[in-house]
Amino acid sequence: MYLIKDLISGMMYIGVHKKDDKTYWTSMTHIDGLKILQGNEKRIEYKILAYGNYGTMKNLEADLIDKHDAANPQSDFWNQMRGMYHKETLRMDLVNQMVKDIESDKYPTEEEYVSELTKIPTWQVRNNEFDPAHLKKIKGKIRDAGGSHINTNPIIILEDRLNSEIYTETDLRIDGAHTLESERAEGCVYGYTKRLPKEAHKKLSHTEIERVASLLNRDPEKVKLPNSKETLARILFGTWVRSRIEIDSDKNIEFLKEQNKTSTERNKIIKIAEEMQKAYEYEVDENVSLIDYKEAGSEILTQKEMILTTSKALATSQSSSSLRWDRVCEKLQDDKMGRKKLNYIIYHSSFSAADDWKDEKKKLVKRLNKWLVPQGYTYKITVMPHKKEKVVL
């Protein structure tokens, strides 16, 4: 997704393209904009705002066009059409059939060089590519077999899946990350593979192949790492971004049932995915993203605690979505310095938590007033900012 901006007039154009062609500039049809683009003055700025799957970019483009009312002739944009959303059908019957075909003997199991398999592009659906405990388990099976791969599952490869004009390697590996890494680390020469010819997968969309890859790791599995709730939530969210299939749709619920998830687990996964959707919408509507105090923002939180910790005050931080005021009380009671003042630092781990903070704060204040104040303690609640600027047009 790109942005063209005239640095003199300030007029802009939002567009998407998937051509690997330096001569391609834009699909703009606005006469005034084209005159400037085709002129000789050095007044045009061309900026890449985002890149990724075509459906994802089309929907992000549509979100931004609608957000800025860019198709309005009175706006600061040369766009002349409202956002055109990319939508897809999700054919779970084809997905389930491909999974059955892979898990059966329809495609023969072969042996290939590990050194060659590591060169094949991969499609990883998990949040983290490798789980240390699972790697250790597979490596142990290889060692028990004297360094052989005979106790490992085949690696699943889609032949000729990628565009040859963009990728050197056109095959795509969709399952077997832990197996291949374990075989590589343990010095295996060969690994088992199952290859699906192009005819078997060419009609399946990006989203449908992602579902296939995920179902190959559903619960329960003998030596595979089951999909986490976060991974499955990311798949539902990714489907919505690309195809605008609602997160709590019947097809998604059926997909989670195929993952052998209980109703309670399904509800949790849907809730996580809906939070991802809300974060996406905040990013598009307000150009902001969530500050992650568990990861990138952890140092900021630590510094805040250090600043607010004094000889008279004890500082502690908690997420507004999991407040444990009882632990705070215990911490004060166990304080060897006998400090009577509490600096309670609150951070939001999600936009939903931030939206709910007003009500949660009332509950927190009521409890602190009941359990701390009568014992001579005072407190101050400090709320950390939860938004940061993300996209600037």
Side-chain angles (χ1 to χ4, degrees):
M1 184 179 68
Y2 62 88
L3 175 75
I4 290 176
K5 183 175 183 180
D6 176 15
L7 298 177
I8 294 179
S9 69
M11 293 295 292
M12 295 173 284
Y13 179 83
I14 301 172
V16 165
H17 77 79
K18 55 180 179 178
K19 294 183 179 179
D20 184 19
D21 183 358
K22 293 182 180 179
T23 64
Y24 175 89
W25 267 77
T26 178
S27 54
M28 184 201 304
T29 58
H30 195 287
I31 299 300
D32 294 337
L34 287 175
K35 285 182 180 178
I36 294 174
L37 277 179
Q38 295 169 4
N40 294 322
E41 291 184 87
K42 295 182 178 180
R43 56 189 287 182
I44 294 298
E45 178 183 68
Y46 188 90
K47 183 187 295 184
I48 304 298
L49 298 180
Y51 65 92
N53 171 268
Y54 183 66
T56 302
M57 293 301 100
K58 283 295 294 180
N59 287 331
L60 181 55
E61 174 198 37
D63 284 334
L64 290 177
I65 288 174
D66 290 348
K67 171 192 171 183
H68 294 285
D69 196 18
N72 186 336
Q74 307 302 316
S75 72
D76 295 329
F77 289 83
W78 285 313
N79 293 79
Q80 295 177 288
M81 296 180 64
R82 293 188 62 79
M84 302 292 289
Y85 286 91
H86 176 82
K87 296 183 179 180
E88 297 176 0
T89 57
L90 180 56
R91 300 165 297 180
M92 285 303 298
D93 55 334
L94 297 183
V95 170
N96 290 327
Q97 185 58 53
M98 175 168 279
V99 172
K100 290 179 181 177
D101 290 343
I102 291 173
E103 294 178 338
S104 69
D105 294 327
K106 180 171 182 176
Y107 303 106
T109 299
E110 308 286 351
E111 284 185 319
E112 297 186 48
Y113 286 111
V114 169
S115 59
E116 294 300 317
L117 294 174
T118 58
K119 299 176 184 179
I120 299 176
T122 182
W123 191 329
Q124 184 63 40
V125 300
R126 295 191 183 96
N127 291 321
N128 300 310
E129 184 173 8
F130 298 123
D131 177 83
H134 194 58
L135 279 175
K136 184 177 180 180
K137 184 176 181 180
I138 299 177
K139 289 178 182 178
K141 289 182 175 294
I142 293 174
R143 293 193 197 104
D144 289 345
S148 171
H149 62 286
I150 59 172
N151 290 330
T152 62
N153 284 319
I155 295 161
I156 310 302
I157 300 169
L158 306 184
E159 295 184 329
D160 201 21
R161 179 72 189 182
L162 303 177
N163 189 337
S164 60
E165 295 182 3
I166 300 175
Y167 298 95
T168 303
E169 297 284 347
T170 59
D171 294 341
L172 180 66
R173 174 167 56 82
I174 64 169
D175 184 57
H178 287 83
T179 298
L180 184 56
E181 173 58 19
S182 298
E183 290 170 345
R184 184 202 63 77
E186 294 299 314
C188 293
V189 176
Y190 297 102
Y192 287 130
T193 62
K194 278 191 178 184
R195 287 182 168 270
L196 279 65
K198 186 173 183 177
E199 292 71 25
H201 60 78
K202 67 179 181 180
K203 293 183 180 180
L204 272 69
S205 68
H206 176 112
T207 297
E208 289 164 344
I209 290 297
E210 185 178 59
R211 298 288 170 114
V212 170
S214 173
L215 284 170
L216 291 172
N217 294 285
R218 63 190 183 278
D219 293 338
E221 291 288 349
K222 293 181 179 179
V223 295
K224 287 182 177 293
L225 181 66
N227 296 304
S228 68
K229 292 183 179 65
E230 290 72 20
T231 293
L232 294 173
R234 188 157 59 89
I235 290 173
L236 301 192
F237 165 69
T239 301
W240 175 82
V241 170
R242 290 188 296 270
S243 312
R244 286 306 191 261
I245 293 175
E246 291 301 322
I247 286 172
D248 62 351
S249 67
D250 291 341
K251 289 183 178 180
N252 280 338
I253 292 174
E254 189 62 33
F255 168 69
L256 295 178
K257 288 181 179 178
E258 290 288 339
Q259 295 278 351
N260 296 324
K261 298 301 180 184
T262 65
S263 60
T264 301
E265 290 173 322
R266 295 197 297 270
N267 290 336
K268 176 65 175 177
I269 292 165
I270 288 172
K271 184 177 180 180
I272 295 172
E274 289 175 340
E275 180 58 39
M276 293 177 180
Q277 180 183 359
K278 177 174 283 192
Y280 174 93
E281 291 170 341
Y282 265 101
E283 180 175 326
V284 171
D285 294 340
E286 300 184 20
N287 293 338
V288 297
S289 61
L290 186 73
I291 299 175
D292 186 358
Y293 286 107
K294 292 183 178 179
E295 297 293 340
S298 60
E299 185 175 342
I300 298 174
L301 192 62
T302 300
Q303 290 177 348
K304 190 70 172 180
E305 285 190 25
M306 291 176 62
I307 292 172
L308 295 182
T309 298
T310 68
S311 60
K312 296 183 179 180
L314 181 68
T316 189
S317 61
Q318 287 184 349
S319 166
S320 61
S321 61
S322 56
L323 292 172
R324 291 299 305 270
W325 59 271
D326 53 328
R327 292 183 180 178
V328 173
C329 292
E330 291 174 0
K331 192 171 183 178
L332 278 172
Q333 292 172 352
D334 295 340
D335 181 28
K336 295 181 180 180
M337 296 178 65
R339 286 169 284 195
K340 289 290 186 177
K341 182 177 180 181
L342 169 68
N343 283 322
Y344 206 155
I345 304 167
I346 303 297
Y347 65 91
H348 302 306
S349 57
S350 69
F351 284 110
S352 294
D355 293 341
D356 296 340
W357 168 239
K358 185 176 181 180
D359 292 334
E360 292 301 316
K361 182 179 180 181
K362 290 180 181 178
K363 298 176 186 177
L364 177 63
V365 168
K366 182 178 180 180
R367 285 164 177 156
L368 294 178
N369 286 342
K370 180 176 181 178
W371 297 104
L372 283 184
V373 175
Q375 299 185 56
Y377 291 99
T378 60
Y379 66 88
K380 179 181 179 181
I381 298 175
T382 300
V383 182
M384 300 293 288
H386 67 284
K387 299 178 181 178
K388 62 180 179 181
E389 190 174 34
K390 181 66 176 179
V391 178
V392 180
L393 294 184

